[in-house]
Amino acid sequence: MIIAFLVVRKQFVGKGLMDLTSMLTFAVPGTVVGIGYILAFNERPLLLTGTGAIIVLLFIFRNVPVGIRAGVAALQQIDPAIEEAATNLGAGSGRTFATVTLPLITPAFFSGLAYSFVRCMTAISAVIFVVSGRWNLITIAILGLVENADLSQAAAFSLVLIAIVLSALGLIQVGVGRVATSQMGYEAAG
Amino acid sequence: MSNAVRLKNLRKVFEGRGGSGRVVAVDDVSLEVKDGSLVTLLGPSGCGKTTVLRMIAGFEAPSEGDVFIGDERITALPANKRRTSMVFQSYGLFPHMTVFDNVGYGLRIRKVPAPELRARALSMLELVGLAGTEARLPSQLSGGQQQRVALARALITEPRVLLFDEPLSNLDAKLRVQMRLEIRRLQQRLQITSVYVTHDQDEAMTLSDQVVVMHQGRIQQVGTPPEIYSRPRTLFVADFIGKANFLAGTVRHVEGGGADVEIAQGRVRVPAEGFRPGDMVWLLLRPEAIGLAPAGAGRWQGRIAAATYLGSEIFYEVMVGGQTLLVKVGHPQGATPLGASDPVGVAFDEGSLHLVPREGTA
């Protein structure tokens, strides 16, 4: 969100570059990213292969662009005068961000979160390289089961996965809905 | 403590992307806004007036020059420490807060205790005529009401200077007239030093103690509204403010606060100062200073080329010696308006004429 804020509102050297790099992990094919992570974290001091951390890290960096894009889109909708008004009334830039900008982009934040979550739950391309015996992922387990022709267990796992994703989506939806109604004038006024 | 605003040789250059296309938005602007007075910056879009305002607020840093409030130099002071309040064209209300929270925002930042904040916010809402709306969201109010909320929000912090950035241009014509009277009334009652940016000359004329006409980043003229209207110093000011006829002429003789000017239609004597024989001038003739007389009477003879009926008045275009003069006539109730190609006489008082310098050959 902070990167999004910087990209939209500020002028500085290398702004275009930052915008581009923030998109990079999104543009590169998942398999490439996965192999890259194994190679990069296979040696000390960054020996992460085979841990749960590497899965989490991979998901975070692979989905950062989603959050940034959602933030950028939301920020571009906000009239700069709104932030200037806050500054004008005595709020410093941190205060302005916290009291005015952040509440206005919260819905975008949550929808970015929902999207990222679903993508993480169903991803297979990049993570297939970084999972291990102890830290497996349900999608990869399903793939393995299908390969072993253990279709009934695969179907059961799939059902569980669908149930988790749907209920998580539902929860986020309710959360966003509440935030959105509390500031429902925003779209209308925009 | 004086809250006069002083601008000293203010200059702002915008660099284009990649160093190309430098734009000088504000060029050598010096100005004094007296404590408690309202000054308008008037000019067409792109003349730099908003940039000047944003430099006073601290949203833009000047490339050169200084900004003072009273005796304090505030050029390097961040916007949130300047104690200036701005009313924006797009209102800039916080859409996720109620009207009450919007108005109280400045006080909450200053950590004013809740009971005092509540009392002051409510009395401020009453001052702008919005009592009872405090629990609503900005989107539930009309444009005029939203701008009043913005005004209340700006006033509540007791700013040293109040800044207006074309606050009425999003409102319809009737509301605009009503709001500008209200702004003037509040400003005079609270005696707040104010700078008001607009491209609407009616707004500038009705609101201001002083009008500053800007063009291409420079100040063209500073004066009271009547001064600006009746004694413009440049062609741009004369043309921008109100309607006017311009007749090209040359000064032939200067004597005792007046000048004899030769124009295509003959010689006229014009009140003028600072001109020398041989100077090229534009003779400025306001449409309402010209009267129509029966054919044969009046100073010059002409024919009606076109008539525009506006209810309370009629604008005639009269051809006089190859030139079209715009003439404004208060509509005489019941009389038949003149038709095209009717011959008429044109009359005016030489005292109402005015000269502005003319450059080059016209």
Side-chain angles (χ1 to χ4, degrees):
Chain A
M1 280 293 146
I2 290 173
I3 293 180
F5 178 73
L6 290 176
V7 168
V8 177
R9 286 286 188 266
K10 303 290 172 189
Q11 285 291 341
F12 55 88
V13 183
K15 171 178 156 178
L17 189 72
M18 190 166 99
D19 199 14
L20 184 73
T21 29
S22 74
M23 287 295 287
L24 260 186
T25 53
F26 212 49
V28 175
T31 42
V32 178
V33 176
I35 295 171
Y37 265 73
I38 303 184
L39 294 179
F41 298 117
N42 212 5
E43 287 166 28
R44 292 185 191 282
L46 286 168
L47 185 57
L48 291 176
T49 310
T51 62
I54 194 168
I55 301 177
V56 174
L57 275 180
L58 184 111
F59 277 143
I60 289 176
F61 284 101
R62 209 160 149 65
N63 285 299
V64 154
V66 177
I68 292 182
R69 284 294 121 189
V72 165
L75 276 174
Q76 276 166 348
Q77 297 290 316
I78 300 176
D79 185 352
I82 293 174
E83 287 163 29
E84 281 174 1
T87 311
N88 201 241
L89 292 168
S93 51
R95 196 82 190 262
T96 302
F97 188 74
T99 56
V100 176
T101 316
L102 206 54
L104 289 178
I105 56 179
T106 319
F109 175 77
F110 278 112
S111 55
L113 191 72
Y115 182 70
S116 305
F117 178 76
V118 173
R119 268 183 51 96
C120 288
M121 285 305 286
T122 57
I124 199 156
S125 61
V127 277
I128 201 161
F129 295 97
V130 295
V131 293
S132 51
R134 282 187 59 204
W135 301 98
N136 205 345
L137 225 65
I138 195 165
T139 47
I140 292 154
I142 293 170
L143 186 70
L145 289 168
V146 171
E147 277 172 353
N148 293 339
D150 195 349
L151 287 181
S152 53
Q153 207 184 342
F157 267 166
S158 300
L159 195 67
V160 171
L161 178 64
I162 291 170
I164 293 175
V165 169
L166 282 184
S167 55
L169 269 187
L171 271 178
I172 290 172
Q173 200 80 144
V174 170
V176 174
R178 192 165 300 145
V179 176
T181 30
S182 74
Q183 48 181 260
M184 111 197 125
Y186 183 53
E187 319 295 300
Chain B
M1 188 180 68
S2 161
N3 285 331
V5 174
R6 209 147 46 81
L7 309 178
K8 210 174 140 208
N9 304 106
L10 218 51
R11 187 178 156 87
K12 177 72 185 177
V13 181
F14 287 109
E15 302 285 350
R17 284 182 95 86
S20 64
R22 281 160 51 95
V23 179
V24 181
V26 175
D27 197 2
D28 197 22
V29 165
S30 296
L31 179 69
E32 180 160 0
V33 181
K34 291 201 180 63
D35 192 10
S37 72
L38 191 151
V39 168
T40 6
L41 304 180
L42 176 66
S45 47
C47 73
K49 52 192 195 297
T50 298
T51 310
V52 170
L53 195 75
R54 292 174 62 83
M55 285 193 282
I56 300 175
F59 297 140
E60 306 276 358
S63 307
E64 280 170 46
D66 280 313
V67 182
F68 297 86
I69 295 182
D71 296 323
E72 191 190 346
R73 180 173 167 277
I74 59 162
T75 317
L77 204 64
N80 56 332
K81 304 228 161 68
R82 290 196 176 187
R83 293 185 50 216
T84 58
S85 278
M86 190 178 298
V87 179
F88 296 87
Q89 179 176 4
S90 52
Y91 320 136
L93 295 177
F94 309 128
H96 57 299
M97 296 183 195
T98 61
V99 167
F100 176 82
D101 287 336
N102 264 284
V103 174
Y105 187 83
L107 294 184
R108 211 162 342 119
I109 294 292
R110 284 173 178 71
K111 304 202 164 53
V112 171
E116 187 194 338
L117 184 150
R118 187 168 175 81
R120 278 171 70 179
L122 291 182
S123 76
M124 193 50 75
L125 276 174
E126 202 173 313
L127 185 69
V128 296
L130 282 179
T133 61
E134 60 269 13
R136 296 205 212 158
L137 287 171
S139 56
Q140 295 167 320
L141 301 179
S142 70
Q145 287 174 321
Q146 288 186 40
Q147 199 55 289
R148 280 168 214 240
V149 174
L151 191 61
R153 184 181 67 175
L155 285 170
I156 200 166
T157 55
E158 293 168 357
R160 291 196 285 180
V161 180
L162 196 54
L163 305 168
F164 294 92
D165 184 10
E166 309 205 12
L168 306 182
S169 48
N170 282 348
L171 305 179
D172 65 62
K174 272 226 169 97
L175 203 54
R176 210 149 51 208
V177 173
Q178 188 194 336
M179 279 296 288
R180 75 183 181 219
L181 291 175
E182 226 163 286
I183 287 178
R184 181 61 169 162
R185 181 179 59 82
L186 272 176
Q187 187 270 335
Q188 289 194 320
R189 183 162 143 202
L190 304 170
Q191 289 292 309
I192 295 186
T193 312
S194 307
V195 182
Y196 190 106
V197 161
T198 180
H199 60 258
D200 181 332
Q201 45 173 301
D202 292 342
E203 241 169 81
M205 291 290 172
T206 46
L207 278 170
S208 329
D209 294 310
Q210 294 260 305
V211 177
V212 178
V213 183
M214 289 189 66
H215 181 49
Q216 294 180 343
R218 289 177 165 275
I219 292 183
Q220 295 278 318
Q221 188 170 354
V222 182
T224 62
E227 269 168 23
I228 296 274
Y229 187 77
S230 56
R231 291 196 297 282
R233 270 211 295 275
T234 65
L235 178 64
F236 175 81
V237 176
D239 195 27
F240 188 72
I241 310 286
K243 290 192 165 85
N245 297 297
F246 295 100
L247 306 172
T250 310
V251 176
R252 290 293 175 218
H253 181 69
V254 179
E255 195 186 329
D260 287 332
V261 178
E262 189 168 314
I263 55 174
Q265 288 82 359
R267 271 196 183 212
V268 283
R269 186 161 176 79
V270 185
E273 266 169 38
F275 288 94
R276 289 198 314 259
D279 280 352
M280 314 256 272
V281 290
W282 288 108
L283 185 68
L284 169 67
L285 195 49
R286 293 284 183 195
E288 67 274 15
I290 309 177
L292 292 183
R299 197 176 284 265
W300 297 332
Q301 298 304 308
R303 273 180 191 282
I304 304 280
T308 310
Y309 179 78
L310 289 179
S312 61
E313 63 225 16
I314 305 178
F315 280 97
Y316 289 110
E317 285 172 37
V318 184
M319 289 293 290
V320 178
Q323 190 160 16
T324 310
L325 283 184
L326 191 64
V327 179
K328 175 178 160 180
V329 178
H331 181 42
Q333 292 292 328
T336 335
L338 295 162
S341 79
D342 285 351
V344 284
V346 172
F348 56 86
D349 175 13
E350 286 184 332
S352 67
L353 299 174
H354 182 73
L355 293 183
V356 293
R358 175 164 65 108
E359 281 156 27
T361 48

